[in-house]
Amino acid sequence: MTEFPLQSGDRPAAEAPDDLANDPRFSANEPVSPSGPLRVVVVSAGLSVPSSTRLLADRLGEAVARDLGAAQVPVRVDTVELRDLANDIAQNFTAGFPGPKLTAALDQVTGADAVIAVTPIFTASYSGLFKSFFDVLDQEALTGKPVLIAATGGTARHSLALEHALRPLFAYLRAVVVPTAVYAASEDWGNTDGLNRRIDRAAGELAVLLAGTGGRRAAPADRLEEVVPFAEQLAALRVQE
């Protein structure tokens, strides 16, 4: 399957923002770090220009910013376009260290308060470029971090890849994945009502996580107990006998 490029007429009209100022799920009075607005980084693995993957990524980022803005929570949304980093990612695997562009992108994701990860679906799974980026990301970078997952594909039959491929990937990285995953098939861009609802629901879930905690939660540190070698444990048992 190849990712399908969008024509200019395929872009849906902008929707009016919802008023969430009185939504009890949000806490507008929750203290936000004085170091600046919350940072949401959108990772897009689209290959064509323009692409449906980047369009979906942009719409998700806009929806989260809209919801947080309605809750009076300042936010900054940045986008990492993996297509521009393909050579740098490949060279990282062969050279063993990232170049300046890839380092900057990895730092963006590591320093974000939340991540929106969007990939095209190839052969019922995420793209190799998408997986390669998260392979070179530090395995602790997403611990405890809210993540919204989304994907695009040519047919709705690939939608289960979100649950069978993407969700396990981010669970392994110990991210906090929001309940609603967003999938956009080719036909969704012709009739966007259902897609709009999924985008709004997922964005709202991510916004609730960020607004409800004030963001910038410290990642829980691993607490590993001291491991006693098995031979020493056996020796201790013999002494007791």
Side-chain angles (χ1 to χ4, degrees), residues 31-47:
V32 177
S33 171
S35 61
L38 298 179
R39 292 164 299 183
V40 176
V41 173
V42 183
V43 178
S44 171
L47 299 180

Side-chain angles (χ1 to χ4, degrees), residues 15 18 63 66-67 195-204:
E15 297 178 298
D18 295 328
R66 176 200 68 206
D67 288 358
L195 178 60
N196 290 341
R197 287 194 295 271
R198 296 194 297 275
I199 288 174
D200 289 343
R201 182 186 304 159

Side-chain angles (χ1 to χ4, degrees), residues 23-65:
D23 192 325
R25 298 176 303 168
F26 290 91
S27 177
N29 297 321
E30 188 75 27
V32 177
S33 171
S35 61
L38 298 179
R39 292 164 299 183
V40 176
V41 173
V42 183
V43 178
S44 171
L47 299 180
S48 59
V49 180
S51 75
S52 57
T53 300
R54 179 58 188 267
L55 175 56
L56 180 58
D58 288 345
R59 293 199 57 201
L60 287 165
E62 291 164 2
V64 171

